[in-house]
mmCIF file with all atom_site columns, all heavy atoms in Angstrom:
data_model
loop_
_atom_site.group_PDB
_atom_site.id
_atom_site.type_symbol
_atom_site.label_atom_id
_atom_site.label_alt_id
_atom_site.label_comp_id
_atom_site.label_asym_id
_atom_site.label_entity_id
_atom_site.label_seq_id
_atom_site.pdbx_PDB_ins_code
_atom_site.Cartn_x
_atom_site.Cartn_y
_atom_site.Cartn_z
_atom_site.occupancy
_atom_site.B_iso_or_equiv
_atom_site.pdbx_formal_charge
_atom_site.auth_seq_id
_atom_site.auth_comp_id
_atom_site.auth_asym_id
_atom_site.auth_atom_id
_atom_site.pdbx_PDB_model_num
ATOM 1  N N   . ARG A 1 421 ? -34.665 14.209 2.189  1.00 0.00 ? 862 ARG A N   1
ATOM 2  C CA  . ARG A 1 421 ? -33.871 14.342 3.400  1.00 0.00 ? 862 ARG A CA  1
ATOM 3  C C   . ARG A 1 421 ? -34.633 13.720 4.596  1.00 0.00 ? 862 ARG A C   1
ATOM 4  O O   . ARG A 1 421 ? -33.964 13.269 5.492  1.00 0.00 ? 862 ARG A O   1
ATOM 5  C CB  . ARG A 1 421 ? -33.394 15.757 3.662  1.00 0.00 ? 862 ARG A CB  1
ATOM 6  C CG  . ARG A 1 421 ? -32.526 16.422 2.684  1.00 0.00 ? 862 ARG A CG  1
ATOM 7  C CD  . ARG A 1 421 ? -31.715 17.478 3.329  1.00 0.00 ? 862 ARG A CD  1
ATOM 8  N NE  . ARG A 1 421 ? -32.430 18.505 3.990  1.00 0.00 ? 862 ARG A NE  1
ATOM 9  C CZ  . ARG A 1 421 ? -32.930 19.634 3.487  1.00 0.00 ? 862 ARG A CZ  1
ATOM 10 N NH1 . ARG A 1 421 ? -32.773 19.845 2.183  1.00 0.00 ? 862 ARG A NH1 1
ATOM 11 N NH2 . ARG A 1 421 ? -33.669 20.458 4.190  1.00 0.00 ? 862 ARG A NH2 1
ATOM 12 N N   . SER A 1 422 ? -35.966 13.884 4.578  1.00 0.00 ? 863 SER A N   1
ATOM 13 C CA  . SER A 1 422 ? -36.769 13.391 5.688  1.00 0.00 ? 863 SER A CA  1
ATOM 14 C C   . SER A 1 422 ? -37.213 12.010 5.562  1.00 0.00 ? 863 SER A C   1
ATOM 15 O O   . SER A 1 422 ? -38.003 11.501 6.392  1.00 0.00 ? 863 SER A O   1
ATOM 16 C CB  . SER A 1 422 ? -37.912 14.355 5.941  1.00 0.00 ? 863 SER A CB  1
ATOM 17 O OG  . SER A 1 422 ? -38.817 14.284 4.805  1.00 0.00 ? 863 SER A OG  1
ATOM 18 N N   . GLY A 1 423 ? -36.787 11.315 4.511  1.00 0.00 ? 864 GLY A N   1
ATOM 19 C CA  . GLY A 1 423 ? -37.240 9.987  4.293  1.00 0.00 ? 864 GLY A CA  1
ATOM 20 C C   . GLY A 1 423 ? -38.705 9.856  3.941  1.00 0.00 ? 864 GLY A C   1
ATOM 21 O O   . GLY A 1 423 ? -39.348 8.886  4.165  1.00 0.00 ? 864 GLY A O   1
ATOM 22 N N   . GLY A 1 424 ? -39.339 10.970 3.429  1.00 0.00 ? 865 GLY A N   1
ATOM 23 C CA  . GLY A 1 424 ? -40.695 10.928 3.051  1.00 0.00 ? 865 GLY A CA  1
ATOM 24 C C   . GLY A 1 424 ? -41.632 11.301 4.171  1.00 0.00 ? 865 GLY A C   1
ATOM 25 O O   . GLY A 1 424 ? -42.831 11.356 4.026  1.00 0.00 ? 865 GLY A O   1
ATOM 26 N N   . ASN A 1 425 ? -41.062 11.741 5.313  1.00 0.00 ? 866 ASN A N   1
ATOM 27 C CA  . ASN A 1 425 ? -41.927 12.137 6.526  1.00 0.00 ? 866 ASN A CA  1
ATOM 28 C C   . ASN A 1 425 ? -42.283 13.663 6.320  1.00 0.00 ? 866 ASN A C   1
ATOM 29 O O   . ASN A 1 425 ? -41.449 14.504 6.400  1.00 0.00 ? 866 ASN A O   1
ATOM 30 C CB  . ASN A 1 425 ? -41.114 11.942 7.762  1.00 0.00 ? 866 ASN A CB  1
ATOM 31 C CG  . ASN A 1 425 ? -41.940 12.241 9.015  1.00 0.00 ? 866 ASN A CG  1
ATOM 32 O OD1 . ASN A 1 425 ? -42.464 13.314 9.196  1.00 0.00 ? 866 ASN A OD1 1
ATOM 33 N ND2 . ASN A 1 425 ? -42.051 11.264 9.891  1.00 0.00 ? 866 ASN A ND2 1
ATOM 34 N N   . VAL A 1 426 ? -43.579 13.867 6.058  1.00 0.00 ? 867 VAL A N   1
ATOM 35 C CA  . VAL A 1 426 ? -44.041 15.218 5.713  1.00 0.00 ? 867 VAL A CA  1
ATOM 36 C C   . VAL A 1 426 ? -43.838 16.170 6.889  1.00 0.00 ? 867 VAL A C   1
ATOM 37 O O   . VAL A 1 426 ? -43.425 17.330 6.777  1.00 0.00 ? 867 VAL A O   1
ATOM 38 C CB  . VAL A 1 426 ? -45.568 15.206 5.296  1.00 0.00 ? 867 VAL A CB  1
ATOM 39 C CG1 . VAL A 1 426 ? -45.988 16.611 5.003  1.00 0.00 ? 867 VAL A CG1 1
ATOM 40 C CG2 . VAL A 1 426 ? -45.666 14.309 4.019  1.00 0.00 ? 867 VAL A CG2 1
ATOM 41 N N   . SER A 1 427 ? -44.147 15.692 8.136  1.00 0.00 ? 868 SER A N   1
ATOM 42 C CA  . SER A 1 427 ? -44.053 16.562 9.273  1.00 0.00 ? 868 SER A CA  1
ATOM 43 C C   . SER A 1 427 ? -42.610 17.004 9.477  1.00 0.00 ? 868 SER A C   1
ATOM 44 O O   . SER A 1 427 ? -42.310 18.205 9.724  1.00 0.00 ? 868 SER A O   1
ATOM 45 C CB  . SER A 1 427 ? -44.521 15.821 10.550 1.00 0.00 ? 868 SER A CB  1
ATOM 46 O OG  . SER A 1 427 ? -45.905 15.445 10.408 1.00 0.00 ? 868 SER A OG  1
ATOM 47 N N   . GLN A 1 428 ? -41.674 16.003 9.384  1.00 0.00 ? 869 GLN A N   1
ATOM 48 C CA  . GLN A 1 428 ? -40.242 16.422 9.533  1.00 0.00 ? 869 GLN A CA  1
ATOM 49 C C   . GLN A 1 428 ? -39.852 17.360 8.411  1.00 0.00 ? 869 GLN A C   1
ATOM 50 O O   . GLN A 1 428 ? -39.005 18.213 8.660  1.00 0.00 ? 869 GLN A O   1
ATOM 51 C CB  . GLN A 1 428 ? -39.419 15.123 9.546  1.00 0.00 ? 869 GLN A CB  1
ATOM 52 C CG  . GLN A 1 428 ? -37.883 15.403 9.756  1.00 0.00 ? 869 GLN A CG  1
ATOM 53 C CD  . GLN A 1 428 ? -37.120 14.081 9.692  1.00 0.00 ? 869 GLN A CD  1
ATOM 54 O OE1 . GLN A 1 428 ? -37.706 13.035 9.982  1.00 0.00 ? 869 GLN A OE1 1
ATOM 55 N NE2 . GLN A 1 428 ? -35.860 14.246 9.370  1.00 0.00 ? 869 GLN A NE2 1
ATOM 56 N N   . ALA A 1 429 ? -40.278 17.048 7.153  1.00 0.00 ? 870 ALA A N   1
ATOM 57 C CA  . ALA A 1 429 ? -39.877 17.903 6.042  1.00 0.00 ? 870 ALA A CA  1
ATOM 58 C C   . ALA A 1 429 ? -40.427 19.339 6.243  1.00 0.00 ? 870 ALA A C   1
ATOM 59 O O   . ALA A 1 429 ? -39.663 20.321 5.942  1.00 0.00 ? 870 ALA A O   1
ATOM 60 C CB  . ALA A 1 429 ? -40.436 17.351 4.720  1.00 0.00 ? 870 ALA A CB  1
ATOM 61 N N   . ALA A 1 430 ? -41.550 19.495 6.753  1.00 0.00 ? 871 ALA A N   1
ATOM 62 C CA  . ALA A 1 430 ? -42.168 20.828 6.984  1.00 0.00 ? 871 ALA A CA  1
ATOM 63 C C   . ALA A 1 430 ? -41.334 21.576 8.082  1.00 0.00 ? 871 ALA A C   1
ATOM 64 O O   . ALA A 1 430 ? -41.034 22.773 7.931  1.00 0.00 ? 871 ALA A O   1
ATOM 65 C CB  . ALA A 1 430 ? -43.614 20.702 7.487  1.00 0.00 ? 871 ALA A CB  1
ATOM 66 N N   . ARG A 1 431 ? -40.913 20.846 9.078  1.00 0.00 ? 872 ARG A N   1
ATOM 67 C CA  . ARG A 1 431 ? -40.072 21.432 10.128 1.00 0.00 ? 872 ARG A CA  1
ATOM 68 C C   . ARG A 1 431 ? -38.716 21.924 9.596  1.00 0.00 ? 872 ARG A C   1
ATOM 69 O O   . ARG A 1 431 ? -38.268 23.027 9.856  1.00 0.00 ? 872 ARG A O   1
ATOM 70 C CB  . ARG A 1 431 ? -39.837 20.498 11.303 1.00 0.00 ? 872 ARG A CB  1
ATOM 71 C CG  . ARG A 1 431 ? -41.085 20.303 12.203 1.00 0.00 ? 872 ARG A CG  1
ATOM 72 C CD  . ARG A 1 431 ? -40.729 19.626 13.479 1.00 0.00 ? 872 ARG A CD  1
ATOM 73 N NE  . ARG A 1 431 ? -40.148 18.276 13.267 1.00 0.00 ? 872 ARG A NE  1
ATOM 74 C CZ  . ARG A 1 431 ? -40.890 17.190 13.191 1.00 0.00 ? 872 ARG A CZ  1
ATOM 75 N NH1 . ARG A 1 431 ? -42.222 17.205 13.337 1.00 0.00 ? 872 ARG A NH1 1
ATOM 76 N NH2 . ARG A 1 431 ? -40.336 16.001 12.981 1.00 0.00 ? 872 ARG A NH2 1
ATOM 77 N N   . GLU A 1 432 ? -38.068 21.048 8.761  1.00 0.00 ? 873 GLU A N   1
ATOM 78 C CA  . GLU A 1 432 ? -36.775 21.389 8.210  1.00 0.00 ? 873 GLU A CA  1
ATOM 79 C C   . GLU A 1 432 ? -36.837 22.605 7.220  1.00 0.00 ? 873 GLU A C   1
ATOM 80 O O   . GLU A 1 432 ? -35.975 23.358 7.141  1.00 0.00 ? 873 GLU A O   1
ATOM 81 C CB  . GLU A 1 432 ? -36.158 20.185 7.489  1.00 0.00 ? 873 GLU A CB  1
ATOM 82 C CG  . GLU A 1 432 ? -35.761 19.056 8.411  1.00 0.00 ? 873 GLU A CG  1
ATOM 83 C CD  . GLU A 1 432 ? -34.888 18.043 7.663  1.00 0.00 ? 873 GLU A CD  1
ATOM 84 O OE1 . GLU A 1 432 ? -34.532 18.283 6.556  1.00 0.00 ? 873 GLU A OE1 1
ATOM 85 O OE2 . GLU A 1 432 ? -34.638 16.955 8.282  1.00 0.00 ? 873 GLU A OE2 1
ATOM 86 N N   . GLY A 1 433 ? -37.959 22.622 6.493  1.00 0.00 ? 874 GLY A N   1
ATOM 87 C CA  . GLY A 1 433 ? -38.180 23.735 5.541  1.00 0.00 ? 874 GLY A CA  1
ATOM 88 C C   . GLY A 1 433 ? -38.740 24.952 6.140  1.00 0.00 ? 874 GLY A C   1
ATOM 89 O O   . GLY A 1 433 ? -38.775 26.030 5.435  1.00 0.00 ? 874 GLY A O   1
#
Side-chain angles (χ1 to χ4, degrees):
R862 291 208 310 271
S863 66
N866 186 303
V867 177
S868 298
Q869 182 181 336
R872 287 193 298 271
E873 288 191 12

